[in-house]
Amino acid sequence: GSLRALDGEPIVYWIGPSDVTTLRSHPPFEPGAGVVRQGLATGDDFRFVRAWWEIAPARATRSPAYTGGQDAKTQLNTGARWAPIVKAGASQPWYSPNLLVVDWQRDGERLRSFTDAAGKLRSRPQNTDQYFKPGFSWTRRAPRLVPYVVPAGCIPSVSRYQAFPVGDPYEAVAVAASNVASAYLRFYGEKFLWPNFLVDNVKSLPMADVGDQLRKRMASFVEAQVELRRQAFQDVEPFREFISPRKVPPDLAWEPFSLLGEDLEGSIAEVYGLSDAAYGRLVRDLHEALVALGNRPVDDIDDEDEVVQTSTSWLDRLVSYLVGVAFGRWDVRIGADPSLAPQPAAAFDPPPHVPPGMLLDEALEPARRTPNAYPLEIPEIGCLLEQPGHSWDLESRVRAATHALFGGDAELNEALSTETKRLSLARYLSGAFFKAHLNTYSQGRRRSPIYWQLQVPSKNWGVWLYYPKLSREMLFAVVAGAEQRLRLAEQQVNHLQREAESAGAGRKVSEIALALDNERKLAVELAAFRTEAERIANLGWEPDLDDGAVLNAAPLVNLFPAWKDAVAYRKELRAGKYSWATVARFADQL
């Protein structure tokens, strides 16, 4: 009979009538402590959602500290288009990196007018009054509630429920992380090992009056935990928190039996009025589920998450950073001394629009040219070549970045020797690097590399483009690079022909014949590459980063053999799909 006092009358046979009375004596989270809501459903994520690194920083919302106090709503009405959306992530407590942004320009005008042929709205921009407010979200399916902070300035999504406290957000997320909260919410979880923590259940969570002293302890604990967890993502691309790579990957393990520790758990149970015996009865079900799981990671249970596949290879992560330094993406001074990075914001403050390790100009925007007194020169046009001897050869620029970071080549050479059986840096960059980069800079099904490898079929020459600087001028620079290398190839062919005619002038005839054949083949490949690059450059197409990486890559697929996804998207563009994209205006010429 006592169980009838609980909403939904769950048969929680392991607790007693007095425990029910104790829990019911406290008011529910909603409406007194806050509200719990689902957020935005776009109806077409490919069209309206991007990885944060795909867009121009000038088109993204940023902390009011960078805008003279302008909030996100004001920015989105005065030039910004993309705002952080809480959509995907690992099942991790306290802190979950934000990787995605959504088109919410002018109060989501594009989404609000996104209809089907019958005029029915395909998107669902619900609960918009809660957008940009701080709060917490959680993994829907796990043995316990795993809450993490959602800072101000973000938009909730339909797949990630979010709680919006009306009072102290630190208190709310700490209570939600307690064993008392998880034990109560498991009453309604549907399944023993992986309950489903739905919106209405969290709304009903009893909220005790914790008092000022415990509230301060909670805030201090949460802030420390957020910073500790955030530090782990400072070492790994492509997270927005990135500063520089670390050889040993960060340890993100956590204790599922308690997120708060024995001291805080006991204090929270006390303010709820639970005796030691009552607390033991309440959490029995939670502990039994965790014991039943054994050593199985809690992360494995949440099948709704799309997690970035960060590389475990030190070589992949190191070279990715060095290539970024060579292009001017990362500040090698900060890489050598991470203490130079800007201090992180507080847990619930809006996230930064660029990573703390990024190379910035005097206006605190991503550098377009080499800053004064910077130890390396960066390519203003955003192109590097696979061409030994050239001043902008990728290998030589990566070596220069290595010296600026470490003072020498030893670290890079050791990684190459250990992981590739002494494969040369040039061979690694020409072959394996793009695949590793593509895997790193992909979010779920959204694949968005930022270093683009255009190559001739033999892989004996190529040009690398830095996607954030993609422009029509860059395309003409590609044409010029191919033209210059073609002239060199033609000169080399003439030289080898003369050498062959005077046989015995130093090299074997067979060696000269092989070199001549290779150079002739390269000249043919370069001529075809130049012709295709020139055709694309002359389309009149001005690349638009708002289209996203793969649609911008689609026109270049004949030069971009390493990225197969772009081939399918060019085919779809030709068929009339993605009419909303800028590049679609040139679809019939692709």
Side-chain angles (χ1 to χ4, degrees), residues 510-532:
S510 60
E511 290 179 359
I512 298 171
L514 179 61
L516 180 59
D517 184 55
N518 288 338
E519 205 66 22
R520 282 172 172 164
K521 289 179 180 178
L522 179 58
V524 171
E525 291 179 338
L526 287 164
F529 186 102
R530 178 201 59 188
T531 299
E532 176 65 4

Side-chain angles (χ1 to χ4, degrees), residues 350 450 496 540:
I450 57 173
L496 288 168

Side-chain angles (χ1 to χ4, degrees), residues 356-484:
M358 186 165 275
L359 181 63
L360 304 179
D361 60 20
E362 293 180 354
L364 301 181
E365 298 294 338
R368 306 290 298 184
R369 54 186 59 86
T370 307
N372 293 332
Y374 190 63
L376 293 171
E377 189 177 4
I378 65 173
E380 188 171 332
I381 201 67
C383 296
L384 292 172
L385 304 172
E386 292 178 5
Q387 187 173 326
H390 195 283
S391 58
W392 291 113
D393 172 55
L394 176 63
E395 180 189 12
S396 66
R397 302 312 299 168
V398 167
R399 290 283 183 190
T402 306
H403 280 259
L405 181 64
F406 297 117
D409 291 293
E411 185 74 42
L412 177 58
N413 290 338
E414 181 185 357
L416 284 164
S417 175
T418 302
E419 299 191 32
T420 68
K421 297 182 179 179
R422 299 188 181 278
L423 187 69
S424 71
L425 177 60
R427 287 280 302 278
Y428 172 78
L429 289 168
S430 178
F433 173 66
F434 180 77
K435 182 179 179 181
H437 171 64
L438 178 62
N439 287 338
T440 297
Y441 277 79
S442 295
Q443 166 61 41
R445 291 181 292 273
R446 185 155 202 95
R447 297 166 70 75
S448 315
I450 57 173
Y451 309 132
W452 291 5
Q453 183 184 30
L454 313 186
Q455 272 187 328
V456 298
S458 66
K459 299 185 179 182
N460 288 326
W461 183 85
V463 56
W464 286 79
L465 312 183
Y466 181 43
Y467 168 73
K469 290 186 177 180
L470 186 65
S471 66
R472 196 173 178 211
E473 289 72 24
M474 182 188 285
L475 299 178
F476 282 110
V478 172
V479 175
E483 176 65 35
Q484 183 262 355

Side-chain angles (χ1 to χ4, degrees), residues 52-82:
W52 73 263
W53 57 85
E54 285 185 87
I55 62 168
R59 300 282 275 164
T61 58
R62 55 190 68 188
S63 169
Y66 290 89
T67 62
Q70 277 192 347
D71 62 14
K73 290 183 180 180
T74 304
Q75 295 172 48
L76 289 162
N77 285 322
T78 56
R81 178 172 176 177
W82 304 94

Side-chain angles (χ1 to χ4, degrees), residues 127-176:
N127 301 309
T128 58
D129 57 322
Q130 302 300 323
Y131 290 9
F132 310 115
K133 293 181 180 180
F136 67 89
S137 187
W138 61 91
T139 303
R140 270 186 58 186
R141 287 197 178 275
R144 66 170 303 131
L145 196 72
V146 184
Y148 56 87
V149 162
V150 175
C154 298
I155 292 176
S157 73
V158 70
S159 63
R160 283 282 166 169
Y161 303 158
Q162 190 166 331
F164 302 91
V166 294
D168 182 0
Y170 289 97
E171 174 188 348
V173 72
V175 169

Side-chain angles (χ1 to χ4, degrees), residues 188-259:
Y188 307 97
E190 300 175 353
K191 295 184 179 181
F192 176 60
L193 288 181
W194 50 95
N196 190 5
F197 298 118
L198 299 172
V199 164
D200 285 342
N201 305 144
V202 178
K203 287 180 182 180
S204 71
L205 176 65
M207 296 293 291
D209 181 3
V210 302
D212 291 341
Q213 186 176 5
L214 180 54
R215 188 176 295 112
K216 289 178 181 178
R217 287 169 57 201
M218 287 175 167
S220 177
F221 181 86
V222 171
E223 191 69 59
Q225 290 299 309
V226 166
E227 179 55 25
L228 183 66
R229 308 289 298 181
R230 182 160 49 191
Q231 286 176 6
F233 297 100
Q234 293 175 354
D235 307 315
V236 185
E237 294 182 67
F239 298 109
R240 202 191 297 251
E241 297 74 16
F242 181 72
I243 293 178
S244 61
R246 186 170 60 181
K247 192 168 187 177
V248 178
D251 182 8
L252 292 176
W254 51 279
E255 174 51 67
F257 283 91
S258 175
L259 303 181

